[in-house]
């Protein structure tokens, strides 16, 4: 890390991967036990099949997710599991969830609402 600049390309890449739209919720769904495409999708409102497939492929390329098609199954529905690399940010994901719960009003999904509530709490 370049201390004079405060920039670390490795950190930047990690934050971009986890912070890419939908990747955080997908990883959280997998951490919570979802392992099939439909199960993951059902836990994340607004996520389309196309985007979920795209993100799962990306996470697989990055070594975060493994895809397996059980041959013993009558239907070859793939299962998705987190790799060791994929499990390792679990404490970070949980910390972000706790932080979000503390600063987002109950039932809110708008970051603009969260900012206004957070701003009013700091005053």
């Amino acid at each position: 890390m370049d201390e004079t600049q405060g920039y670390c390309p490795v950190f930047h890449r990690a934050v971009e991967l986890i912070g890419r739209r939908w990747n955080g919720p997908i990883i959280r769904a997998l951490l919570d036990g979802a392992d099939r495409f439909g199960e993951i999708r059902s836990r994340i409102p607004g996520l389309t099949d196309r985007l979920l497939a795209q993100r799962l492929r990306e996470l697989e390329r990055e070594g975060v997710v493994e895809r397996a098609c059980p041959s013993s199954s009558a239907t070859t529905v793939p299962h998705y599991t987190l790799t060791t690399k994929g499990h390792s940010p679990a404490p970070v994901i949980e910390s972000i969830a706790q932080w979000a719960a503390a600063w987002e009003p109950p039932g809110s999904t708008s970051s603009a609402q969260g900012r206004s509530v957070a701003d009013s709490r700091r005053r």
Side-chain angles (χ1 to χ4, degrees), residues 67-91:
R67 181 179 185 263
C69 291
S71 58
S72 62
S73 169
T75 60
T76 56
V77 177
H79 290 233
Y80 298 90
T81 57
L82 291 169
T83 62
T84 301
K85 180 180 179 179
H87 276 285
S88 61

Side-chain angles (χ1 to χ4, degrees), residues 39-66:
E39 191 177 4
I40 297 165
R41 188 190 61 230
S42 71
R43 292 184 186 206
I44 307 169
L47 179 59
T48 65
D49 288 354
R50 181 174 175 232
L51 271 171
L52 177 55
Q54 183 181 25
R55 294 301 189 257
L56 285 169
R57 281 192 302 270
E58 174 187 9
L59 291 168
E60 189 176 4
R61 276 192 313 273
E62 293 290 337
V64 174
V65 170
E66 288 180 340

Side-chain angles (χ1 to χ4, degrees), residues 111-122:
S111 59
Q113 288 177 333
R115 275 195 302 273
S116 63
V117 169
D119 290 344
S120 68
R121 287 181 182 164
R122 282 187 231 129

Side-chain angles (χ1 to χ4, degrees), residues 103-115:
W103 288 97
E104 266 313 295
S108 172
T109 57
S110 167
S111 59
Q113 288 177 333
R115 275 195 302 273

Side-chain angles (χ1 to χ4, degrees), residues 3-14:
E3 299 293 63
T4 61
Q5 298 293 323
Y7 176 78
C8 174
V10 175
F11 174 81
H12 186 137
R13 187 171 169 353

